[in-house]
Amino acid sequence: MGAKRNQIYFSVSFDLLSVNEKLQFDLYINSSTNSTAHFVRILPKGELLTQKDLSSFKRKYNQLYISESQRKNYMDSLMKNPHFDKVEKTDVVKKAAIEYLDKIFESEHEFTTEVLVQTVEGCRDVVENMIDVVEDYKLDGLQKLIGSLSFHDFYTYDHSINVSMYCIAIFKLLHPHASKKQMISAGLGGLLHDLGKIKVPTEILNNPGKLTDEQFSIIKQHPDFGLALINQGEVELSSEIDLESIKRVVYEHHENWNGTGYPKGLKEEEISEHSRICAIADFFDAITTKRSYADVLGIDEAIKVMEKTRGTKLDPKMFDIFASQFKKQITKTPFPFQMKEDFDSEKPYKEFPLEEIKDSMDVSFRDKNNKERSSKVNLFGGKKKAS
């Protein structure tokens, strides 16, 4: 049976299909030619998928597909299956999120209110699946899970997805009895916080080198860009999505606790709770998640660097609760470095802009020959290179 015209399909792994269960979706193969898109259904929803069927499909076809309209059915069935581990499930969730983010970030696509609504609704389903995946994890375990996932070649996608997962976990930590709807709001804010970067050239976003003042000023406009994009049309979403909460995170996630952030210079509880959570998640992921072009800080160093912004950039009470989740990894060894003021947590770096705290009395960071160690940190083991 042929597929409906103008339908969109996504590929699925043979190994992530549940066997000996009735399908919750239709399975297709791609019979398209260079001139014509054509997908053929090989097994309908409600039919039993046996191991024999799956083995036969593997021999005959290169790839199987599911209609985009049935993605939620597939994701829900995957999340409920105990035979797939958390890494496999999270990887599928991440790929789904990337596809939705790509719809609004891909420059070839015209941004419209309709595209925004479709993306937010799709992201809502992804975030619900994220909650199913991460709800049993403490923050230290979630950090390890995120580190085990493959990364995409567009930094903004990976970073936004990781921030979303951390926002869910931090919100749950602050509100242990939160409803799923509340957690979805926290996760959606994290996933879409960089919406305004649609208006920032990709060569600036993915530049791991030092930005010019002009380039950095463009990046600093992305909260304004994001709010304007949401407000440009009549956005009608399902009742389970809190658009005002998303707007505030998009606009406020670079505001600082002491009022020195941008774009409005809001301070303390003038900044929404979700935005303050996002600021912590944003910072933490930026300095702890491995990229192809840069090492990262170890947990011990990362928490100590973030702690130096406690009460200035970050909500102090919220940060203390967050940091308490990593107490087993935190040593008493001082770390006399801080991020420079121009550090942007959403920018990829070849080397983090760390600077030594000049008035630090910490002598334990000198080597046996009493040489000053370099301020260039070996960002993966937490040990610093001797000069």
Side-chain angles (χ1 to χ4, degrees):
M1 179 178 176
K4 294 179 181 179
R5 289 185 178 181
N6 301 320
Q7 183 62 268
I8 298 173
Y9 299 85
F10 65 95
S11 61
V12 292
S13 169
F14 289 99
D15 297 328
L16 291 177
L17 290 170
S18 303
V19 294
N20 300 322
E21 292 183 12
K22 289 184 178 180
L23 288 176
Q24 303 302 308
F25 42 83
D26 299 305
L27 272 181
Y28 294 85
I29 57 170
N30 186 356
S31 296
S32 302
T33 64
N34 291 335
S35 59
T36 306
H38 185 56
F39 288 80
V40 178
R41 189 175 69 181
I42 58 171
L43 203 61
K45 177 181 177 181
E47 288 291 314
L48 187 71
L49 176 64
T50 67
Q51 184 60 58
K52 183 178 179 180
D53 290 331
L54 191 60
S55 298
S56 174
F57 294 159
K58 283 184 177 181
R59 289 194 302 271
K60 293 179 180 178
Y61 312 120
N62 293 325
Q63 189 67 64
L64 298 179
Y65 295 84
I66 298 172
S67 164
E68 181 64 42
S69 63
Q70 294 181 326
R71 185 190 287 272
K72 182 175 178 5
N73 296 11
Y74 166 67
M75 298 291 285
D76 289 346
S77 66
L78 178 68
M79 294 302 120
K80 294 174 183 176
N81 194 313
H83 300 298
F84 303 126
D85 64 32
K86 292 285 188 179
V87 174
E88 291 174 316
K89 292 178 179 180
T90 309
D91 198 50
V92 172
V93 170
K94 181 174 180 178
K95 288 176 181 176
I98 286 173
E99 290 188 29
Y100 284 120
L101 292 175
D102 193 58
K103 288 179 182 179
I104 52 175
F105 276 92
E106 175 53 53
S107 59
E108 293 181 3
H109 301 158
E110 180 184 358
F111 183 90
T112 63
T113 299
E114 182 182 5
V115 169
L116 176 64
V117 169
Q118 291 173 352
T119 300
V120 175
E121 292 284 359
C123 285
R124 183 248 174 247
D125 293 338
V126 168
V127 168
E128 184 172 8
N129 293 136
M130 280 185 189
I131 293 169
D132 293 337
V133 169
V134 308
E135 64 180 351
D136 296 329
Y137 281 89
K138 292 186 177 180
L139 279 165
D140 54 350
L142 179 58
Q143 191 271 334
K144 292 176 183 176
L145 173 66
I146 287 174
S148 70
L149 301 175
S150 58
F151 54 82
H152 189 268
D153 59 359
F154 190 12
Y155 176 79
T156 298
Y157 293 174
D158 287 296
H159 179 62
S160 295
I161 293 163
N162 296 348
V163 167
S164 181
M165 288 193 278
Y166 283 130
C167 283
I168 293 167
I170 296 170
F171 185 82
K172 183 74 179 294
L173 182 65
L174 297 172
H175 303 281
H177 303 295
S179 66
K180 179 162 278 192
K181 180 179 179 179
Q182 290 172 318
M183 288 191 285
I184 286 172
S185 289
L188 272 175
L191 191 59
L192 297 169
H193 75 282
D194 270 343
L195 178 67
K197 288 190 174 178
I198 294 170
K199 295 291 187 179
V200 179
T202 303
E203 58 269 22
I204 295 179
L205 293 180
N206 277 359
N207 177 14
K210 184 174 177 57
L211 297 177
T212 66
D213 290 343
E214 182 181 1
Q215 289 172 326
F216 191 56
S217 69
I218 292 172
I219 281 187
K220 287 179 70 174
Q221 294 178 63
H222 75 270
D224 293 291
F225 293 155
L227 185 63
L229 287 168
I230 295 175
N231 287 336
Q232 74 178 23
E234 194 70 30
V235 180
E236 295 184 6
L237 298 166
S238 64
S239 60
E240 294 184 343
I241 297 175
D242 185 349
L243 182 62
E244 288 304 311
S245 173
I246 295 171
K247 277 186 182 181
R248 294 197 65 176
V249 176
V250 166
Y251 191 60
E252 298 174 1
H253 65 280
H254 278 294
E255 298 288 0
N256 292 339
W257 179 256
N258 67 353
T260 60
Y262 62 87
K264 291 289 286 185
L266 301 178
K267 65 179 181 179
E268 299 182 3
E269 293 186 2
E270 292 174 350
I271 310 164
S272 74
E273 182 184 46
H274 285 173
S275 300
R276 284 178 276 139
I277 289 172
C278 187
I280 292 175
D282 191 10
F283 198 160
F284 183 69
D285 180 67
I287 61 177
T288 60
T289 300
K290 183 76 173 70
R291 303 293 162 198
S292 60
Y293 37 70
D295 286 330
V296 292
L297 292 176
I299 297 299
D300 185 43
E301 292 80 7
I303 296 298
K304 288 171 182 174
V305 165
M306 292 176 70
E307 186 176 28
K308 292 177 176 65
T309 70
R310 177 189 179 279
T312 54
K313 177 179 175 59
L314 304 177
D315 179 330
K317 291 182 180 179
M318 193 178 285
F319 172 76
D320 289 346
I321 294 171
F322 167 81
S324 70
Q325 297 294 291
F326 299 96
K327 57 187 176 182
K328 291 182 180 179
Q329 290 116 303
I330 306 304
T331 68
K332 293 183 179 180
T333 307
F335 189 68
F337 292 87
Q338 63 187 4
M339 287 294 179
K340 293 181 180 179
E341 288 187 8
D342 63 353
F343 172 67
D344 179 4
S345 56
E346 290 161 10
K347 177 187 177 302
Y349 284 94
K350 285 183 178 177
E351 182 180 307
F352 291 125
L354 287 166
E355 62 182 1
E356 189 169 8
I357 302 172
K358 298 301 182 183
D359 61 352
S360 172
M361 300 301 292
D362 300 323
V363 296
S364 58
F365 278 76
R366 299 177 183 273
D367 62 19
K368 292 180 181 179
N369 295 321
N370 202 33
K371 286 185 177 182
E372 283 284 354
R373 293 191 179 188
S374 169
S375 61
K376 185 183 294 184
V377 178
N378 177 351
L379 298 177
F380 191 69
K383 302 295 184 182
K384 296 192 304 175
K385 297 176 182 177
S387 58

